[in-house]
C-alpha cells in the first residue's frame, strides 16, 4: 500500500548512461490502414514507423527529434501499447510488453507513464485536477482515500503547485500550470519510465525552462528514465543524454548528445542543426536548405527515404536502403556517404 511517506527514490536511481537497458525496442513497425470505396476496404497503408530499433538505459534521457509526421509520437504511443503495433518487440526490464496481459499489463502501465503534448485535452474538464491525478492511484488500488489525497498534494508540491490547486478545474490554469499537472499525473504512480511527448512545445520560452528544470530535478530525485520527444533541438540538447533523429518513420542517426551536436553525420541531422537560431546577431551560420517537402508515408521513396531532398545524394541512394550501423563507438547512422 502506498502512502505519502512512501515517496522515495526508486532502487537504482543513481544509474547513469552506463547502466542496464530499461527499455528495448526491436524492429518496431506501425502501419495505419487507409480505407476507401463503398465497402471501406483497405486500399493503402500509412507507414508511420518502419523498422525502428533502439534501447533506453536506466536513469537516462533519450531525446527523439524530427519534423512533424516523422513518427516520433507514434513510437512513444506504440511502445506503451496505447496503439497496437503492427510488428516488433518492446521489452521493459526484460518483460515483453506486447505479450503482457491482465495483472502483468496493469503493473507495466503503472511503471510506464506518458506526459501528453496537449495537457488541456488530456484532462477531464468536469473533474478537479486533484481527482484527475488521483484517478491512477484509485485504478491501481494504491492507498485509501486519505493516503491518495496526501499523495496528490505531495505530487502537486513537487511540480511547483499549491495545495488548493487540487480543487480547481483545468480551465482555471495557464498552459504552463496545466503542463505541470500533466507531469504530476504521470508522476503520482511513481513510475520508472515516462514518455514526454513534446511537453514544452506549446509553452513560452520562460515557461519551457521552468518545466524542463522540473523534469530534470524530478529525474535526479526519483531516478526516472525519459523518452523526450520534441521538435526543438535546443531543448533536446539541454535535457538529453543521447539523441535519436527520425525521418519519415525511420531512425537515421543515434548518438550521445555532445557527439551528435559536435559531429552530425547524416545530412538530415546537419540540416536540422544548421536551423537552430543563434543569439549572436553577428554570427552567420552556413544554413543547409532542404528542397521540396517531406514525402508522403503512404508512398515513401525507394532506397534512402531522405534521398529526394538530400544535397549530397547519388544514384545508389535511390536504389538501396542504407543499413543503420555504427560509424564510431555509440554513434549509429543510416547513410551511404558514411563509410
Amino acid at each position: 500500500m502506498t502512502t505519502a511517506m512512501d515517496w522515495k527514490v526508486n532502487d537504482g536511481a543513481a544509474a547513469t548512461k552506463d547502466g542496464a537497458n530499461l527499455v528495448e525496442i526491436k524492429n518496431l513497425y506501425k502501419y495505419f490502414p487507409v480505407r476507401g470505396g463503398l465497402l471501406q476496404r483497405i486500399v493503402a497503408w500509412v507507414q508511420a514507423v518502419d523498422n525502428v530499433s533502439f534501447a533506453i538505459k536506466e536513469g537516462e534521457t533519450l531525446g527523439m527529434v524530427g519534423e512533424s509526421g516523422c513518427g516520433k509520437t507514434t513510437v512513444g504511443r506504440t511502445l506503451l501499447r496505447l496503439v497496437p503495433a503492427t510488428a516488433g518487440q518492446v521489452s521493459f526490464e526484460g518483460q515483453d510488453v506486447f505479450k503482457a496481459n491482465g495483472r502483468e499489463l496493469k503493473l507495466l502501465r503503472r511503471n510506464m507513464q506518458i506526459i501528453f503534448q496537449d495537457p488541456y485535452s488530456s484532462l477531464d474538464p468536469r473533474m478537479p485536477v486533484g481527482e484527475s491525478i488521483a484517478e491512477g492511484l484509485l485504478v491501481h488500488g494504491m492507498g485509501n482515500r486519505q493516503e491518495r489525497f496526501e499523495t496528490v498534494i505531495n505530487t502537486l508540491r513537487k511540480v511547483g503547485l499549491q495545495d488548493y490547486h487540487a480543487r480547481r478545474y483545468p480551465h482555471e490554469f495557464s498552459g504552463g500550470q496545466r503542463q505541470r499537472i500533466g507531469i504530476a499525473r504521470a508522476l503520482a504512480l511513481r513510475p520508472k519510465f515516462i514518455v514526454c511527448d513534446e511537453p514544452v512545445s506549446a509553452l513560452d520560452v520562460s515557461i519551457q525552462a521552468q518545466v524542463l528544470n522540473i523534469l530534470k530535478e524530478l529525474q535526479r530525485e526519483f531516478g526516472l528514465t525519459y523518452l523526450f520527444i520534441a521538435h526543438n533541438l535546443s531543448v533536446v540538447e539541454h535535457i538529453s543524454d543521447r539523441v535519436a533523429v527520425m525521418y519519415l518513420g525511420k531512425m537515421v542517426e543515434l548518438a550521445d548528445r555532445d557527439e551528435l551536436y559536435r559531429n552530425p553525420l547524416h545530412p538530415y541531422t546537419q540540416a536540422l542543426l544548421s536551423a537552430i537560431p543563434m543569439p549572436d546577431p553577428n554570427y552567420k551560420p552556413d544554413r543547409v536548405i532542404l528542397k521540396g517537402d517531406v514525402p508522403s508515408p503512404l508512398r515513401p521513396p525507394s532506397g534512402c527515404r531522405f534521398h529526394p531532398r538530400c544535397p549530397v545524394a547519388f544514384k545508389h541512394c535511390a536504389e538501396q536502403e542504407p543499413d543503420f550501423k555504427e560509424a564510431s563507438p555509440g554513434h549509429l547512422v543510416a547513410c551511404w556517404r558514411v563509410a
Side-chain angles (χ1 to χ4, degrees):
M1 183 172 290
T2 300
T3 69
M5 298 301 294
D6 291 325
W7 196 278
K8 59 185 179 181
V9 178
N10 290 326
D11 292 337
T16 64
K17 293 186 294 181
D18 297 324
N21 290 336
L22 183 71
V23 182
E24 294 184 6
I25 293 89
K26 297 180 181 179
N27 309 115
L28 183 65
Y29 292 81
K30 178 56 186 175
Y31 290 3
F32 292 97
V34 178
R35 299 180 183 273
L38 185 63
L39 299 179
Q40 290 295 294
R41 292 192 177 96
I42 296 175
V43 296
W45 294 91
V46 176
Q47 301 179 28
V49 178
D50 193 359
N51 196 16
V52 169
S53 300
F54 62 94
I56 307 175
K57 297 176 183 178
E58 186 174 359
E60 82 163 342
T61 298
L62 176 66
M64 185 169 284
V65 299
E67 293 172 283
S68 295
C70 72
K72 307 183 302 296
T73 295
T74 305
V75 168
R77 289 173 177 264
T78 304
L79 70 88
L80 292 177
R81 278 185 66 173
L82 296 180
V83 294
T86 302
Q89 181 181 359
V90 174
S91 62
F92 177 80
E93 294 186 317
Q95 182 179 1
D96 193 322
V97 175
F98 294 161
K99 292 182 179 179
N101 51 49
R103 296 183 63 182
E104 290 181 345
L105 180 59
K106 191 172 184 179
L107 182 58
L108 279 173
R109 293 203 181 282
R110 173 182 167 182
N111 285 317
M112 303 172 72
Q113 290 290 305
I114 184 171
I115 301 170
F116 292 99
Q117 179 177 358
D118 184 358
Y120 187 68
S121 66
S122 65
L123 294 170
D124 189 337
R126 297 167 296 181
M127 183 182 291
V129 299
E131 292 185 21
S132 292
I133 296 172
E135 193 171 21
L137 300 171
L138 181 62
V139 168
H140 288 274
M142 299 173 65
N144 56 37
R145 184 181 181 88
Q146 179 60 31
E147 290 167 340
R148 289 194 295 268
F149 173 77
E150 292 175 2
T151 300
V152 168
I153 296 302
N154 200 13
T155 309
L156 286 172
R157 292 173 181 171
K158 291 290 182 184
V159 298
L161 295 175
Q162 303 299 319
D163 298 4
Y164 63 85
H165 285 138
R167 299 187 296 272
R168 292 188 174 180
Y169 290 83
H171 72 271
E172 299 181 78
F173 295 92
S174 67
Q177 288 175 319
R178 284 197 289 264
Q179 197 59 273
R180 293 175 190 231
I181 293 167
I183 295 172
R185 186 172 58 175
L187 194 66
L189 294 173
R190 296 191 303 152
K192 298 178 181 180
F193 173 63
I194 299 179
V195 174
C196 305
D197 185 11
E198 304 196 35
V200 297
S201 61
L203 305 178
D204 294 336
V205 174
S206 59
I207 305 301
Q208 285 185 10
Q210 294 176 18
V211 172
L212 289 174
N213 288 334
I214 287 172
L215 288 172
K216 293 188 72 173
E217 182 180 343
L218 292 172
Q219 183 177 40
R220 287 192 296 267
E221 186 172 355
F222 300 113
L224 298 172
T225 303
Y226 293 142
L227 173 61
F228 191 91
I229 299 168
H231 287 99
N232 192 325
L233 273 79
S234 298
V235 169
V236 170
E237 183 180 17
H238 175 72
I239 197 171
S240 301
D241 297 306
R242 291 187 299 146
V243 179
V245 182
M246 287 194 65
Y247 182 81
L248 204 62
K250 293 279 190 180
M251 190 172 290
V252 298
E253 191 162 2
L254 174 64
D256 286 344
R257 174 193 59 195
D258 295 338
E259 169 67 13
L260 185 94
Y261 281 77
R262 181 179 62 251
N263 182 33
L265 298 179
H266 198 279
Y268 179 61
T269 309
Q270 295 168 3
L272 291 178
L273 292 177
S274 74
I276 298 177
M278 296 295 176
D280 184 359
N282 297 318
Y283 177 71
K284 303 298 182 183
D286 294 328
R287 300 287 189 191
V288 178
I289 307 299
L290 298 179
K291 298 180 181 180
D293 298 323
V294 180
S296 170
L298 278 169
R299 291 174 294 277
S302 61
C304 174
R305 295 191 174 184
F306 185 60
H307 87 262
R309 306 174 69 196
C310 181
V312 295
F314 59 104
K315 183 179 179 181
H316 192 57
C317 298
E319 296 174 347
Q320 186 174 348
E321 181 180 340
D323 294 329
F324 190 58
K325 60 183 181 181
E326 199 170 47
S328 61
H331 194 157
L332 289 84
V333 63
C335 181
W336 289 115
R337 288 285 185 181
V338 180

